[in-house]
């Protein structure tokens, strides 16, 4: 499928043919670095001074490249489609080849970064547990009541940690274990296997 | 195959793989590595420079070094957790393929420190809301806006606890009248008597 570029995007990328291919390569490298670690406006100013153009033009050029790369990686378009989409910009053959190389080399990494942007629930980090026996309380002496106390440590994708304290008696714990084993066993049913086979 | 030091379960595959990495260093170096790992488990911190010097002869990469530290940590802490005797640990490790000299070195270090290790593991077991500090004050109320002559002693208790879920210090302040405090004290003394009976 072809990538449709908006007019504003084409205008931003229109800056690229005006500089040499070495500079475009450098912009490509900066664009990938920004995708990895976040933007750094100082670089725009440094580049703008060296090329004697506006910092804003440089910024638009780099951001246009970043957007081109993320959209192509997101849709996982083939080489031919990428070349056709870039052809519409009216760049030279060399520039097209350069952009294609940039896309192919960094596609996997960009997809990995994009994959991490999905919203996620807190996930398992650690589970501490303890087995106690309650022997007496203020209200009743001479008891024997076993309990399992658990502290479930969770981690969000941003690195925030939280902990939940849970307590259960052994019978409920057995039931919990059985339910979880049933959930794992679901993976081995024919229905699930059929779906997994088709995805792979 | 069930192993006592793994808690009567199968030995994890990665442990089997890394035991073969351990055989690459000499038994003397391995004993010194065990000493370092035990220091780390007892909370004294591990000196990675010493570890890299010990493993430099066998030309361990960064990954191999971390793997050998990890496998020794697992073996020693797991053996202490399940209270495995030194001889059975030695025979099980030899079954897994660790050479005799390495096994003897490891088991000797384990035997020396296993009580201290179990103490440390006992301390780090799950405990919710530990009591960190208690401070108290006895006041005598002379009079108040409600009644002119009150003449009553009260106790102010300040309890500092570690939050169960967050782990941050929480402070609770309560003021207790004389009668209520007497009841509290009796009940707590009964609980203490019960705890002493169990020990």
């Amino acid at each position: 499928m072809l990538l449709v570029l908006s007019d504003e995007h084409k205008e931003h990328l229109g800056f690229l043919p005006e500089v040499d291919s070495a500079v475009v390569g450098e912009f490509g490298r900066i664009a990938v670095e920004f995708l990895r670690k976040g933007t750094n406006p100082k670089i725009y100013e440094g580049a703008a001074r060296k090329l004697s153009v506006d910092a804003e033009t440089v910024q638009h050029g780099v951001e246009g490249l970043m957007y081109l790369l993320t959209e192509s990686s997101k849709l996982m378009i083939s080489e031919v489609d990428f070349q056709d989409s870039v052809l519409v910009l009216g760049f030279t053959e060399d520039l097209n080849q350069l952009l294609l190389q940039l896309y192919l080399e960094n596609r996997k990494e960009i997809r990995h970064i994009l994959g991490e942007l999905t919203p996620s629930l807190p996930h398992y980090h650690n589970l501490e547990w303890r087995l106690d026996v309650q022997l007496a309380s203020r209200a009743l002496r001479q008891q024997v009541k076993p309990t399992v106390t658990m502290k479930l440590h969770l981690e969000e994708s941003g690195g925030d940690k939280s902990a939940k304290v849970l307590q259960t008696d052994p019978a409920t714990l057995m039931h919990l274990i059985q339910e979880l084993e049933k959930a794992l066993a679901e993976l081995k049913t024919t229905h699930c296997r059929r779906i997994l086979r088709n995805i792979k | 195959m069930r192993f006592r030091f793994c808690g009567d379960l199968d030995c994890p595959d990665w442990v089997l793989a890394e035991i073969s990495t351990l055989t690459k260093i000499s038994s003397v170096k391995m004993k010194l590595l065990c000493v370092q790992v035990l220091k780390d488990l007892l909370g004294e911190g591990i000196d990675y420079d010493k570890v890299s010097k010990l493993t430099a002869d066998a030309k361990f990469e960064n990954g191999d070094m971390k793997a050998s530290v990890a496998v020794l940590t697992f073996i020693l802490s797991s053996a202490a957790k399940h209270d495995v005797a030194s001889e059975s640990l030695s025979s099980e490790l030899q079954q897994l393929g660790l050479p005799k000299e390495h096994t003897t070195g490891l088991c000797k270090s384990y035997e020396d420190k296993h009580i201290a290790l179990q103490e440390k593991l006992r301390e780090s077991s799950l405990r919710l809301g530990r009591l960190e500090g208690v401070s108290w004050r006895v006041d005598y109320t002379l009079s108040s806006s409600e009644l002119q002559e009150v003449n009553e002693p009260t106790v102010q208790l300040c309890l500092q606890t570690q939050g169960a879920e967050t782990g941050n210090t929480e402070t609770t302040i309560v003021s207790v009248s004389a009668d209520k405090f007497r009841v509290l004290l009796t009940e707590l003394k009964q609980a203490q008597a019960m705890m002493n009976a169990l020990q």
Side-chain angles (χ1 to χ4, degrees), chain A residues 22-182:
Chain A
V23 180
V24 178
E26 184 64 18
F27 278 179
R29 200 191 53 79
I30 294 176
V32 175
E33 198 55 35
F34 282 1
L35 283 172
R36 254 183 235 144
K37 298 207 184 123
T39 53
N40 185 356
K42 293 193 215 142
I43 298 200
Y44 295 141
E45 286 165 27
R49 244 179 292 130
K50 271 189 239 159
L51 297 166
S52 22
V53 288
D54 261 346
E56 202 178 318
T57 328
V58 176
Q59 183 178 2
H60 284 171
V62 176
E63 284 178 0
L65 259 181
M66 276 166 70
Y67 188 66
L68 180 66
L69 286 171
T70 46
E71 284 298 299
S72 337
S73 310
K74 174 167 88 173
L75 300 164
M76 196 73 178
I77 56 181
S78 62
E79 286 183 34
V80 181
D81 285 340
F82 184 83
Q83 277 177 314
D84 290 337
S85 319
V86 168
L87 217 63
V88 99
L89 292 165
F91 289 170
T92 63
E93 193 49 39
D94 292 337
L95 196 53
N96 285 351
Q97 278 303 317
L98 201 81
L99 289 174
L100 184 64
Q101 278 310 105
L102 196 63
Y103 168 56
L104 289 175
E105 279 165 22
N106 294 301
R107 163 159 78 171
K108 200 161 159 205
E109 195 182 346
I110 295 177
R111 278 180 73 81
H112 179 73
I113 296 173
L114 289 174
E116 289 175 6
L117 287 175
T118 51
S120 76
L121 297 165
H123 57 261
Y124 170 85
H125 180 67
N126 189 16
L127 178 69
E128 296 176 76
W129 58 266
R130 187 176 86 194
L131 175 64
D132 293 320
V133 173
Q134 182 174 310
L135 295 172
S137 69
R138 183 179 177 204
L140 182 63
R141 308 294 153 85
Q142 313 283 15
Q143 298 173 2
V144 180
K145 203 164 89 160
T147 45
V148 177
T149 312
M150 296 180 275
K151 191 165 176 186
L152 180 62
H153 293 260
L154 299 167
E155 195 178 344
E156 294 261 352
S157 58
D160 305 321
K161 295 203 178 149
S162 61
K164 290 233 182 306
V165 177
L166 309 159
Q167 200 176 52
T168 170
D169 57 281
T172 318
L173 184 63
M174 289 300 302
H175 177 71
L176 186 66
I177 293 175
Q178 277 171 355
E179 289 295 323
L180 288 173
E181 282 183 347
K182 270 193 226 168

